[in-house]
Amino acid sequence: MEPIIREIDVKSVLTKSNLPGSDYSVNPYVGCTHACRYCYASFMKRFTGHSEPWGAFLDVKHWPEIRRPERYAGKELFIGSVTDPYLPQEETFGRTRALLEQLKGGGVRLSIATKSDLVLRDLDLIKNLMLRLSL
Ligand code: SF4
């Protein structure tokens, strides 16, 4: 079954994080269409008003462009704490790539959690950022 996809506007894509080794968590999408049975992130449904099963919906976030990314220099950003930033829909919407473009040159430290080799598409951007990759 095709997921229900909405595009939503958010004030910011960066959220202060208490996760170990992470100053901010960054999730370009709400939901995750991989729908892993063991998913630890399905609790997100409670906070986003979705009644659909986990994996059956996806909100595509649009945020104001991150200006002056150097404000985050040396900060640890964890991309994909409650979604996979390289879902198949990323090929269409490109929100993770947009995020990396906006962070370019800012000196942030990145962790990316993904199970998709679509991440390879963005190596041109990633190689210029400080990165830890979790697969
Ligand atoms: S890829 Fe990660 S966030 Fe997505 S459903 Fe699987 S465990 Fe959950």
Side-chain angles (χ1 to χ4, degrees), residues 18-68:
N18 294 322
L19 293 172
S22 158
D23 297 305
Y24 292 88
S25 60
V26 193
N27 291 284
Y29 301 94
V30 177
C32 187
T33 54
H34 287 317
C36 304
R37 295 183 70 148
Y38 54 80
C39 184
Y40 55 87
S42 54
F43 70 90
M44 284 299 294
K45 274 181 46 165
R46 267 187 284 151
F47 301 109
T48 57
H50 282 280
S51 56
E52 308 93 329
W54 183 250
F57 66 89
L58 189 70
D59 292 346
V60 180
K61 290 186 188 175
H62 293 274
W63 55 88
E65 184 171 343
I66 300 169
R67 300 195 188 281
R68 297 177 45 242

Side-chain angles (χ1 to χ4, degrees), residues 6-113:
R6 303 188 301 170
E7 296 190 63
I8 62 170
D9 292 321
V10 295
K11 288 186 181 154
S12 172
V13 72
L14 277 72
T15 305
K16 286 223 176 209
S17 170
N18 294 322
L19 293 172
S22 158
D23 297 305
Y24 292 88
S25 60
V26 193
N27 291 284
Y29 301 94
V30 177
C32 187
T33 54
H34 287 317
C36 304
R37 295 183 70 148
Y38 54 80
C39 184
Y40 55 87
S42 54
F43 70 90
M44 284 299 294
K45 274 181 46 165
R46 267 187 284 151
F47 301 109
T48 57
H50 282 280
S51 56
E52 308 93 329
W54 183 250
F57 66 89
L58 189 70
D59 292 346
V60 180
K61 290 186 188 175
H62 293 274
W63 55 88
E65 184 171 343
I66 300 169
R67 300 195 188 281
R68 297 177 45 242
E70 60 275 13
R71 280 184 301 162
Y72 302 102
K75 299 291 185 192
E76 299 272 359
L77 271 57
F78 179 20
I79 303 179
S81 60
V82 289
T83 189
D84 187 325
Y86 288 100
L87 292 167
Q89 291 79 14
E90 166 64 15
E91 281 200 80
T92 302
F93 293 102
R95 299 312 293 147
T96 299
R97 187 167 176 90
L99 172 69
L100 295 176
E101 291 271 11
Q102 292 170 22
L103 293 173
K104 202 164 53 179
V108 297
R109 302 171 65 84
L110 288 186
S111 297
I112 299 177

